[in-house]
Amino acid sequence: MSLPKTLADDVARNLVMVAQLIDEDPEQAYAYSRIALRLASRVAAVREAAGFAAYATQKYAEALAEFRAARRMTGGVDLWPVMADCERGLGRPERAMAMAGEPEVQKLDKAGQVEMRLVAAGARRDMGQIDAAIVTLQSPELASNSVQPWTARLRYAYADALLSAGREDEAREWFGKTIEADKDGATDASDRLAELDGVEFVDAMGEDEDEDEPATVAEAEAEADVDSDGDIDSDIDDAIEAEAEADDEIEVQADDKNSHDKG
């Protein structure tokens, strides 16, 4: 569907803002998507963008409605995995599993099929079927040594599922393989692996800031007592010194008097 140039420009500007903000500020991205939707609700790209913005803010029912609308307009299947994940978000993992077995999955490209596998494994876990989730993730893509855009996420999901099943040694191995594929740090696999290895990260800056501060009330009171005692000792020393100076003055005056009497 074509739009008048001015309207098309307005819609495009809002869609650009959705794309720019959806990761760092999903709520703001969602607001821009609603503007685009009011301007051009019959444009498939607008419905799709609105769906992703709603999905990013966990408005799964709204996202699913937008994705379905976009799919009706285009006839494509690219949105099938995210539609299934919306079903998971709505607490309907069994529907997500049903979608994983539909013919549409066979029409997806490789990335879409891997995404569908991840969603299906997630649905299995939602239903408490952790062993089935592990089997679902086992695939040629998981076994491959080549690194693709989906590799890190697939390995991470597998490692996490293994850990949930109590297979810690295998999970450690796959978190390590995730790190090898995750060049952009999209997952927290390194943190998970460190946690399994018992490594604790210490905030050095935080320690420096707290170094001079008493750790407990008792220590603070003890420190206050030390300072107080120090002040008292200082006062006593001053008094003794003043008294000694007074004694010296008296002795000097006595000597002067004796000298004067002898004279």
Side-chain angles (χ1 to χ4, degrees), residues 41-117:
S41 62
R42 294 186 180 182
V43 175
V46 171
R47 302 302 290 266
E48 182 174 331
F52 278 110
Y55 179 80
T57 53
Q58 300 183 4
K59 298 177 176 66
Y60 297 116
E62 185 177 327
L64 185 57
E66 297 300 340
F67 289 141
R68 284 173 174 168
R71 183 167 178 266
R72 283 195 300 270
M73 293 176 182
T74 64
V77 296
D78 293 348
L79 297 173
W80 197 253
V82 72
M83 289 169 62
D85 206 39
C86 285
E87 296 286 5
R88 284 186 62 213
L90 291 169
R92 302 189 296 237
E94 68 285 349
R95 292 194 183 183
M97 283 304 307
M99 291 180 68
E102 293 293 331
E104 282 82 355
V105 176
Q106 303 305 316
K107 301 175 184 178
L108 294 167
D109 60 14
K110 182 62 67 177
Q113 290 181 4
V114 171
E115 193 65 34
M116 193 69 239
R117 189 177 293 276

Side-chain angles (χ1 to χ4, degrees), residues 183-237:
K183 304 303 181 184
D184 299 327
T187 72
D188 64 347
S190 58
D191 293 340
R192 299 290 300 277
L193 185 59
E195 184 180 348
L196 284 172
D197 290 337
V199 177
E200 294 185 6
F201 296 98
V202 178
D203 187 351
M205 291 298 293
E207 281 194 348
D208 291 342
E209 291 172 358
D210 297 339
E211 188 174 354
D212 296 331
E213 297 181 5
T216 66
V217 173
E219 290 177 8
E221 292 175 348
E223 187 174 306
D225 289 341
V226 170
D227 291 342
S228 176
D229 292 342
D231 291 340
I232 292 172
D233 291 341
S234 179
D235 292 340
I236 292 172
D237 291 339

